[in-house]
Amino acid sequence: MRLRTRRATAAAAFLTAGALALSGCGGSSGGSGGGGDTLSSLKKAGKVTVGINGENPYSFINKDGKLDGATIALDRAVYKKLGINKLEGKKVEWDALIPGLNSGQYDEVSAGMSILPDRCKKAAFSYPEITYETAFLVPKGNPKKLHTMQDLKAKKVNLVTENGAIEQGYAKTMGISTQTVGSPQDGLQAVESGQADVFALTAISLRTLVKTQKAQSKVEVTKAFTASVNGKLQIGAGAAVFRKKDTKLLNAYNKELKKIIDDPKQFKAIVGKYGFTEAERPKGKTTDTKYLCSGKLPDAK
């Protein structure tokens, strides 16, 4: 059974860098998916439209109504180098991000999306932007003592995951029953109200969620961990996502992004204020998009 709330169905509003604005269902500034040189079209238009899910600290609308977040900051830095200064966004539910990209509703997905083999078949991922670990949102005191995915399976808890998120995939692969929600806020509400025992998401997202929603009195975030599924460590790395045909745009984006990610000082300067540290900067194998798309993961020890 899927939990549903207002937030789970509130999608499809265009979000400009300055304010929210309603949009129709037509194509984006240059990426209608109809062929041609998307990069040249974007440069001519002077703007890029990105698809977001609204998850803080990756990409979201801040209290001033502005498009914000760590992946948005990276986008702005990259596109500025490409001569494009305006960034707009379209908010959709997580599992609609890639379909919306491929149907031409926006030019890029900017949501810290995990690089996974099934997703790589549908779209093209950039050089990895961030890495992350999993954590649980639980009632204060963690009464069921939940710390790993194996704990969830052994104790048969009432688990909630965000629809289409990587944690939902972990649960499915491990045979763990889960209800799904449309946003992190819905997951928080489910745990606070007692509808769920635990909400699984990336650790940095949960820490930010609890802080911004001022929910410390009712819930807490467990210690971050690298999930182990079927004996394999689930090394998580997120990236920007493009249509497979937009190789020119992807290559130009990667050239500038790599300079930022490979430079600890630049990385910190751009995303540090969102809670990202050197621990979240891709290094080694986590900078290899092809490796991550292959699904080859290290054995759990």
Side-chain angles (χ1 to χ4, degrees):
M1 174 180 169
R2 180 178 176 182
L3 295 172
R4 289 186 180 272
T5 71
R6 282 186 310 166
R7 297 179 192 274
T9 56
F14 259 112
L15 312 172
T16 68
L20 288 163
L22 294 178
S23 168
C25 298
S28 64
S29 56
S32 63
D37 183 352
T38 299
L39 177 59
S40 295
S41 297
L42 296 179
K43 286 184 175 181
K44 185 176 181 180
K47 68 175 182 179
V48 174
T49 304
V50 298
I52 71 168
N53 178 242
E55 185 178 340
N56 189 343
Y58 302 104
S59 52
F60 61 98
I61 298 304
N62 64 26
K63 62 182 180 180
D64 297 321
K66 295 182 179 180
L67 190 59
D68 204 350
T71 64
I72 297 301
L74 288 169
D75 280 339
R76 287 192 172 119
V78 169
Y79 287 120
K80 185 177 181 179
K81 291 290 187 180
L82 298 180
I84 305 169
N85 294 316
K86 189 175 181 181
L87 199 66
E88 295 183 346
K90 186 175 183 181
K91 183 180 177 184
V92 300
E93 289 192 14
W94 184 266
D95 56 350
L97 284 169
I98 289 180
L101 172 70
N102 286 330
S103 66
Q105 294 181 45
Y106 30 85
D107 309 296
E108 176 214 326
V109 171
S110 182
M113 183 174 281
S114 298
I115 303 171
L116 300 174
D118 285 347
R119 292 173 179 168
C120 293
K121 293 175 183 177
K122 301 172 185 175
F125 283 76
S126 74
Y127 192 76
E129 297 179 313
I130 48 174
T131 61
Y132 36 66
E133 293 182 300
T134 299
F136 299 144
L137 183 73
V138 294
K140 196 74 174 178
N142 194 4
K144 294 187 179 292
K145 307 302 178 188
L146 305 173
H147 302 286
T148 67
M149 295 300 296
Q150 283 68 29
D151 290 341
L152 303 186
K153 185 170 185 178
K155 299 183 181 183
K156 298 180 180 179
V157 297
N158 187 0
L159 168 67
V160 164
T161 57
E162 188 173 4
N163 195 35
I166 193 170
E167 295 78 19
Q168 183 188 19
Y170 295 163
K172 182 178 180 181
T173 301
M174 295 177 69
I176 302 171
S177 178
T178 180
Q179 300 180 77
T180 58
V181 292
S183 73
Q185 290 80 8
D186 293 337
L188 170 62
Q189 184 180 27
V191 175
E192 284 186 320
S193 67
Q195 290 179 278
D197 299 315
V198 53
F199 175 41
L201 197 65
T202 62
I204 194 167
S205 296
L206 291 178
R207 291 195 297 268
T208 302
L209 178 67
V210 170
K211 181 179 179 180
T212 57
Q213 299 295 315
K214 299 180 180 179
Q216 292 94 332
S217 63
K218 292 184 179 181
V219 298
E220 66 180 63
V221 179
T222 64
K223 184 178 179 181
F225 64 93
T226 300
S228 173
V229 177
N230 292 344
K232 296 288 184 180
L233 290 175
Q234 306 299 303
I235 305 300
V241 192
F242 298 86
R243 286 181 290 273
K244 283 184 174 290
K245 76 176 186 67
D246 288 335
T247 53
K248 196 169 183 179
L249 173 60
L250 174 62
N251 291 339
Y253 186 95
N254 275 343
K255 182 179 179 180
E256 298 302 331
L257 176 66
K258 188 177 186 300
K259 296 174 185 176
I260 296 170
I261 303 304
D262 291 354
D263 182 343
K265 289 184 178 180
Q266 278 200 73
F267 181 80
K268 182 179 179 181
I270 293 172
V271 302
K273 68 177 182 179
Y274 299 102
F276 290 85
T277 68
E278 179 63 14
E280 284 81 38
R281 187 175 68 86
K283 297 175 282 290
K285 284 290 188 181
T286 59
T287 64
D288 189 339
T289 303
K290 288 184 178 180
Y291 171 78
L292 295 167
C293 279
S294 75
K296 295 177 181 178
L297 296 170
D299 292 332
K301 295 180 181 179

